[in-house]
Amino acid sequence: TGPYPLRATIRLPIPLDQALRLIPSTVGTHRAEGPDTTIVEVGGPTPEGLATYLLGLGTPLHVLAPDSVRDALVRHARQLAEDNTVVES
């Protein structure tokens, strides 16, 4: 996970081999949690930076820790949804 000041633990609903293709071992530390789920620890500079990276993965995921990264991810997702809401006039 490198020399980053912040680390996040996420759960991906995909097998270990797919998780390694999505997040290379040079970026995260992986461990299988059953045949279809992988836990990955990734590092980043800030909660917002990690949230941006995680959203860019384009796959369902759950931030297990820390709350600051989960909260930043939710804020980014809400803003993205708001920015793309069509308002009929």
Side-chain angles (χ1 to χ4, degrees), residues 1-9 23-29 40-51 53-54 66 69:
T1 57
Y4 291 108
L6 180 64
R7 296 177 193 267
T9 304
I23 302 172
S25 61
T26 56
V27 175
T29 303
V40 184
E41 185 177 307
V42 294
T46 63
E48 293 75 19
L50 268 171
Y53 173 75
L54 295 173
V69 174

Side-chain angles (χ1 to χ4, degrees), residues 1-2 6 8 11 25 28-29 41 51 54 57 68 76 79 82 85:
T1 57
L6 180 64
R11 177 181 289 124
S25 61
T29 303
E41 185 177 307
L54 295 173
L57 294 175
S68 61
H76 281 267
Q79 186 63 53
E82 185 179 306
T85 300

Side-chain angles (χ1 to χ4, degrees), residues 7-38:
R7 296 177 193 267
T9 304
I10 62 169
R11 177 181 289 124
L12 298 170
I14 57 177
L16 180 61
D17 63 325
Q18 289 178 11
L20 284 162
R21 286 193 297 274
L22 185 65
I23 302 172
S25 61
T26 56
V27 175
T29 303
H30 304 66
R31 71 175 164 34
E33 185 184 63
D36 298 319
T37 306
T38 304

